Amino acid sequence: MQTRMESTFGPTFSAVAPVSKAETTGNYKQHRRTPSSSSTLTYSPRDDDDGMEPQVFAEQPSVKLCCQLCCSVFKDPVITTCGHTFCRRCALTSEKCPVDNSKLTVVVNNIAVAEQIGELFVHCKYGCRPSASGKPGAFEVDPLGCPFTIKLSTRKDHEGSCDYRPVRCPNNPNCPPLLTMNLEAHLKECEHIKCPHSKYGCTFIGNQDTYETHLEVCKFEGLKEFLQQTDDRFHEMQVTLAQKDQDISFLRSMLGKLSEKLDQLEKNLELKFDVLDENQSKLSEDLMEFRRDASMLNDELSHINARLNMGILGSYDPQQIFKCKGTFVGHQGPVWCLCVYSTGDLLFSGSSDKTIKVWDTCTTYKCQKTLEGHDGIVLALCIQGNKLYSGSADCTIIVWDIQTLQKVNTIRAHDNPVCTLVSSHNMLFSGSLKAIKVWDIVGTELKLKKELTGLNHWVRALVASQNHLYSGSYQTIKIWDIRSLECVHVLQTSGGSVYSIAVTNHHIVCGTYENLIHVWDIESKEQVRTLTGHVGTVYALAVISTPDQTKVFSASYDRSLRVWSMDNMICTQTLLRHQGSVTALAVSRGRLFSGAVDSTVKVWTC
């Protein structure tokens, strides 16, 4: 009578009779055949098991070694975030822990539990058979099979060499199935032994006795050494061919990498060609500009030579040649205005960087201070007494104390940018869009005295003399009486807006948008000359007068400065050192200062 033993949790185990120490050796333990040994054993297959391999335990495993999700002995046990242990597959396929309902995430392998399971004894699979009940996944001990139980961790080692492992006859697959223990005896009686030279064409098939007789007469036996050498040679060729295939694969891989490298090099080369083309275009532009400057200088020299041949210039005086003696660098944007405080040998420069820099022009030739206060481009500078006045695109005028270089007042002067400033007779004049405002200077305050109207455009140029104020707008110069502040004369010009005005003892000079410089007689108010040579807007004019001669300096958008002799109305020198449009001029003690869009201020002397 069979005894059936089942567990309410975990796998069913077999009833195994006790064994003696003599019957237990290492990892293998042979059990005696008892009636209970044929009990039906339940097995729950897993998807990752190989061919529903039976796992019949010799003794009932502890409940602690069973997974609470699949109710089977742990397979690849892992510890999850909740602290419990489950089969890896169960932990990955289940969302929540059945104990505390928390989310399952694998943390680490449970090596201790895996080692305990590996120590459990199971029946060799060649000692088990499907249950007679036919229930899927149910196995029972086969009394005719392998009698050994082995540790689960060494099961495969035993089963790989088990005497009860089924094998096939190597001579003929049609022979009945054999057990490993019976293979040797079968080979002695097998009637399907083939000649060892059958692969060369020998058709002999027989038993062991006829096999030995056949070898004595087999025609291939005498060629055995030759055939073996041929086989060896063929094997070597196969090995060589396999090596060549590997070499070819490697070469193809290298060829692919070389192709990628070549593509990258081509792209880099294209980029370098693009950069080269760009640099070549830039060089071409620079060369054209250089040729244009050289042509302008040649024209100037030709003009001077022609004048010399006519005897107009008189004797050549090398002391009158202006040279660049230095450069003030510090602004972060174009320089738009300059002003000199002769008493302290200070030069003030206003820039697009919204600052005013104070330069020492006598001793250190360095920036003494940077004045900050405007919220826009500084467009105009003017000095009256010991006060500096600055006008900006932020529509304000700031008053600065020159002694302390501190801001003392800010005036909201216009509704539009303050383009120009000039002072005379304790008054400050500011120019903007169609307006000139006259301010009385009272200490650090500016009191609005009058607004001059009747102007047709931006007032970009203001110059004051002892008796008159000169203002420039679109193709017009208005002359105002400095005391009555009434317009007393209007000069009509050509060439667009007036950007700059200079007044000498004998002439009124203006620079225009369209590159021209017009000259009028100061007494008759008649235009006496139009000076040409610049190829850009004439932004600024300045005058240096001596008892012997008067020189007018002009600054232009074309990046050049020109020196004009007012005695004969010709250009005596062209100065080319700036890298941008020249926008501002100032003179002091025979020195000329020029500010430009290249953010620098240059110093010129004879």
Side-chain angles (χ1 to χ4, degrees):
M1 179 178 180
Q2 293 182 339
T3 301
R4 188 175 185 83
M5 302 181 68
E6 295 182 353
S7 173
T8 58
F9 183 74
T12 304
F13 64 95
S14 65
V16 181
V19 296
S20 65
K21 289 184 179 180
E23 292 172 321
T24 303
T25 58
N27 295 323
Y28 304 102
K29 182 168 64 177
Q30 185 174 10
H31 61 265
R32 293 189 180 91
R33 299 299 179 183
T34 65
S36 62
S37 297
S38 60
S39 299
T40 301
L41 299 160
T42 303
Y43 168 74
S44 298
R46 305 171 191 261
D47 293 340
D48 52 354
D49 287 332
D50 299 329
M52 292 184 65
E53 189 175 84
Q55 192 175 76
V56 181
F57 290 92
E59 298 176 358
Q60 182 177 11
S62 170
V63 174
K64 295 180 180 180
L65 299 180
C66 296
C67 176
Q68 298 184 52
L69 289 171
C70 64
C71 299
S72 299
V73 173
F74 289 117
K75 185 175 181 68
D76 192 9
V78 294
I79 301 174
T80 59
T81 49
C82 62
H84 299 106
T85 299
F86 301 98
C87 300
R88 178 180 293 275
R89 181 179 179 82
C90 296
L92 294 175
T93 55
S94 301
E95 294 183 355
K96 294 184 179 181
C97 174
V99 179
D100 54 18
N101 206 33
S102 61
K103 184 177 180 181
L104 291 182
T105 303
V106 175
V107 176
V108 68
N109 291 333
N110 195 330
I111 300 175
V113 171
E115 290 178 349
Q116 291 181 52
I117 294 172
E119 293 296 315
L120 296 177
F121 281 88
V122 294
H123 288 279
C124 173
K125 69 178 180 181
Y126 302 120
C128 302
R129 65 185 179 189
S131 173
S133 65
K135 183 179 179 181
F139 293 88
E140 62 184 8
V141 175
D142 184 359
L144 301 178
C146 178
F148 288 100
T149 57
I150 60 272
K151 287 184 180 180
L152 187 59
S153 59
T154 59
R155 175 178 184 174
K156 292 189 179 299
D157 294 337
H158 165 77
E159 292 174 350
S161 58
C162 182
D163 288 342
Y164 290 83
R165 180 171 60 90
V167 293
R168 289 286 183 180
C169 174
N171 297 323
N172 186 3
N174 294 323
C175 288
L178 304 167
L179 296 180
T180 302
M181 67 177 77
N182 300 325
L183 178 60
E184 185 177 354
H186 169 77
L187 291 177
K188 294 180 180 179
E189 301 174 354
C190 182
E191 297 290 338
H192 301 92
I193 298 177
K194 294 182 180 179
C195 176
H197 308 302
S198 59
K199 59 183 178 180
Y200 303 121
C202 182
T203 58
F204 169 80
I205 297 176
N207 54 30
Q208 187 69 28
D209 296 335
T210 57
Y211 169 77
E212 294 176 356
T213 303
H214 166 74
L215 287 180
E216 296 176 358
V217 297
C218 181
K219 62 182 179 180
F220 295 101
E221 183 68 15
L223 301 173
K224 180 170 64 174
E225 293 183 1
F226 171 75
L227 293 175
Q228 183 62 43
Q229 292 176 357
T230 303
D231 280 349
D232 293 343
R233 182 61 179 164
F234 183 70
H235 177 70
E236 290 176 2
M237 292 178 65
Q238 285 183 320
V239 172
T240 302
L241 186 61
Q243 183 63 40
K244 296 297 182 184
D245 288 340
Q246 291 180 359
D247 293 343
I248 291 172
S249 298
F250 173 74
L251 291 174
R252 284 177 178 171
S253 175
M254 293 299 297
L255 184 62
K257 292 181 179 179
L258 288 174
S259 178
E260 293 177 1
K261 187 68 174 178
L262 183 61
D263 291 341
Q264 186 65 37
L265 290 174
E266 288 179 351
K267 291 179 181 178
N268 292 340
L269 191 60
E270 289 177 359
L271 289 175
K272 290 181 179 179
F273 275 128
D274 292 341
V275 172
L276 185 62
D277 290 341
E278 184 178 350
N279 291 339
Q280 186 176 4
S281 300
K282 187 176 180 181
L283 286 173
S284 298
E285 292 175 1
D286 292 343
L287 182 60
M288 291 178 62
E289 191 170 353
F290 173 77
R291 288 176 176 172
R292 184 167 59 249
D293 293 340
S295 177
M296 186 168 59
L297 287 174
N298 288 332
D299 292 344
E300 201 64 41
L301 288 173
S302 298
H303 186 62
I304 292 173
N305 288 331
R307 294 281 181 165
L308 285 172
N309 294 333
M310 294 172 64
I312 297 176
L313 292 180
S315 60
Y316 172 69
D317 183 4
Q319 296 300 319
Q320 297 302 312
I321 299 299
F322 280 81
K323 299 179 181 178
C324 182
K325 295 297 184 180
T327 303
F328 291 129
V329 179
H331 279 298
Q332 301 301 311
V335 177
W336 292 108
C337 52
L338 297 171
C339 187
V340 175
Y341 181 59
S342 301
T343 304
D345 287 308
L346 297 178
L347 174 69
F348 299 89
S349 58
S351 168
S352 289
D353 61 14
K354 305 177 184 179
T355 69
I356 302 167
K357 288 191 178 290
V358 186
W359 308 92
D360 182 342
T361 65
C362 183
T363 55
T364 64
Y365 301 97
K366 294 182 179 180
C367 179
Q368 299 296 301
K369 190 171 182 180
T370 299
L371 309 181
E372 298 179 350
H374 282 293
D375 295 327
I377 298 171
V378 182
L379 296 171
L381 293 171
C382 173
I383 290 176
Q384 174 68 29
N386 63 351
K387 299 293 187 296
L388 171 70
Y389 300 89
S390 58
S392 168
D394 62 12
C395 309
T396 66
I397 297 174
I398 294 182
V399 185
W400 309 84
D401 188 302
I402 295 178
Q403 302 302 322
T404 62
L405 296 177
Q406 298 295 323
K407 180 171 68 173
V408 294
N409 198 4
T410 302
I411 297 93
R412 177 75 181 185
H414 289 270
D415 296 329
N416 294 287
V418 179
C419 297
T420 181
L421 293 172
V422 70
S423 64
S424 181
H425 295 76
N426 210 39
M427 291 182 292
L428 181 69
F429 302 87
S430 59
S432 185
L433 178 62
K434 297 183 180 182
I436 300 172
K437 287 188 177 182
V438 185
W439 309 83
D440 277 327
I441 300 174
V442 183
T444 60
E445 299 293 328
L446 293 179
K447 304 296 184 181
L448 182 62
K449 182 175 184 177
K450 186 177 181 179
E451 182 170 350
L452 307 182
T453 58
L455 300 153
N456 61 9
H457 207 345
W458 286 98
V459 179
R460 294 188 174 91
L462 285 175
V463 172
S465 66
Q466 187 64 28
N467 299 314
H468 296 96
L469 173 71
Y470 301 84
S471 65
S473 54
Y474 182 73
Q475 298 195 154
T476 303
I477 295 177
K478 286 196 173 186
I479 304 175
W480 311 78
D481 186 278
I482 202 73
R483 292 177 177 80
S484 66
L485 300 177
E486 297 294 333
C487 181
V488 296
H489 205 92
V490 178
L491 302 179
Q492 298 296 329
T493 72
S494 61
S497 294
V498 176
Y499 272 75
S500 53
I501 298 175
V503 178
T504 72
N505 293 332
H506 304 289
H507 299 99
I508 303 168
V509 187
C510 81
T512 67
Y513 174 77
E514 294 181 359
N515 321 334
L516 302 176
I517 300 174
H518 298 293
V519 184
W520 288 267
D521 184 276
I522 198 168
E523 297 296 336
S524 66
K525 307 296 189 293
E526 296 292 331
Q527 185 170 344
V528 295
R529 188 67 62 87
T530 296
L531 307 179
T532 59
H534 281 298
V535 291
T537 300
V538 181
Y539 282 127
L541 295 169
V543 179
I544 294 182
S545 294
T546 65
D548 298 330
Q549 61 181 339
T550 298
K551 291 184 180 295
V552 171
F553 301 87
S554 58
S556 172
Y557 175 83
D558 62 14
R559 305 193 304 176
S560 73
L561 292 88
R562 287 178 177 258
V563 186
W564 305 88
S565 172
M566 298 311 292
D567 296 334
N568 43 34
M569 303 290 177
I570 68 166
C571 177
T572 60
Q573 191 178 354
T574 300
L575 309 177
L576 290 169
R577 290 297 292 273
H578 281 290
Q579 301 301 311
S581 302
V582 188
T583 57
L585 294 174
V587 293
S588 174
R589 301 182 183 181
R591 296 174 298 177
L592 174 69
F593 302 94
S594 61
V597 173
D598 61 10
S599 307
T600 68
V601 177
K602 293 189 181 294
V603 185
W604 309 82
T605 61
C606 292

